[in-house]
Amino acid sequence: MHQLVFATNNEHKLRELSEILKGEFKLLSLNDISCSDDIPETGNTLEANASQKSFYIWDRYRMDCFSDDTGLEVAALNNEPGVRSARYAGEGRKANDNIDKVLAGLKDKEDRKACFRCVISLIIKGKEYLFEGRVDGQILPERHGSSGFGYDPVFLPDGFTQSFAEMDAETKNSISHRGRAVQKLVRFLHNEYPHLPDQ
Ligand code: ITT
């Protein structure tokens, strides 16, 4: 089975993608390749950050790899937190603080529309390909559920009655921003690189 390094320091993402890609690719974590660096993310867009993370690995390890950068975009907050989603409440703050800041910003606002956008940068044999996935929904007035991570407890995807944090992993992955971007990546690899060598 072909190996792909997933350039992320986020264990939740790693778990999600191991589940989605099982049977398709052997996923290697940064730990598996003995990389303990905190990979920089200094771009102003999801695309730039995803690229930066993938090339960080390609430049140093010359291994096929991918990374994703994800943002929650809330319409009434001028599409914030966006590219700053991980650090919305400040450097080193927790997901709970980020959620509190979004909820505070939406207090008294009627429009609670939001979306998650995920951009994946894939590098195969040194060439980069980008894939995007998006899911639209609403920010709930309070937290619901305890699965998932990040903003999941306050995100209600359109057409569903459960927040991402109330869904089982399979349901979230089938409709989520990351799940959709990964489906594109898998389709692309099957079509364009059907004979990647086993490693
Ligand atoms: P890496 O860059 O190491 O992959 P990160 O946690 O910094 O990990 P991102 O910059 O892509 O990841 O994500 C920004 C934040 O957006 C992340 O920390 C979460 O709080 C949130 N987030 C990302 N994906 C999410 C999801 O599927 N559900 C809920 N929140 C999510």
Side-chain angles (χ1 to χ4, degrees), residues 6-14 16 30 38-41 46 49 53 67-72 81-87 94-95 98-99 116-119 148-153 155 164 172-173 176-179:
F6 184 22
T8 182
N9 289 305
N10 184 322
E11 279 175 32
H12 301 278
K13 286 187 183 177
L14 189 63
E16 266 189 21
L30 293 178
D38 189 11
I39 302 177
E41 285 180 64
L46 299 178
N49 280 338
K53 291 186 262 189
S67 70
D68 88 279
D69 203 51
T70 295
L72 174 73
V83 76
R84 298 196 300 125
S85 292
R87 294 165 286 276
K94 296 269 164 18
N98 292 333
I99 290 179
F116 274 116
R117 256 191 348 112
C118 169
V119 174
F149 68 101
Y151 299 90
D152 281 347
F155 187 80
F164 267 171
K172 179 188 170 189
N173 291 339
S176 79
H177 46 299
R178 191 168 301 100

Side-chain angles (χ1 to χ4, degrees), residues 29-100:
S29 65
L30 293 178
N31 217 10
D32 292 329
I33 61 167
S34 301
C35 173
S36 52
D37 305 355
D38 189 11
I39 302 177
E41 285 180 64
T42 54
N44 291 323
T45 61
L46 299 178
E47 286 78 3
N49 280 338
S51 245
Q52 189 177 20
K53 291 186 262 189
S54 299
F55 274 109
Y56 188 93
I57 295 303
W58 173 259
D59 290 343
R60 287 161 183 75
Y61 297 85
R62 288 290 188 263
M63 295 175 82
D64 291 344
C65 61
F66 70 97
S67 70
D68 88 279
D69 203 51
T70 295
L72 174 73
E73 297 177 350
V74 182
L77 301 179
N78 299 319
N79 287 337
E80 285 197 354
V83 76
R84 298 196 300 125
S85 292
R87 294 165 286 276
Y88 192 40
E91 212 58 56
R93 303 295 288 273
K94 296 269 164 18
N96 254 334
D97 301 320
N98 292 333
I99 290 179
D100 283 341

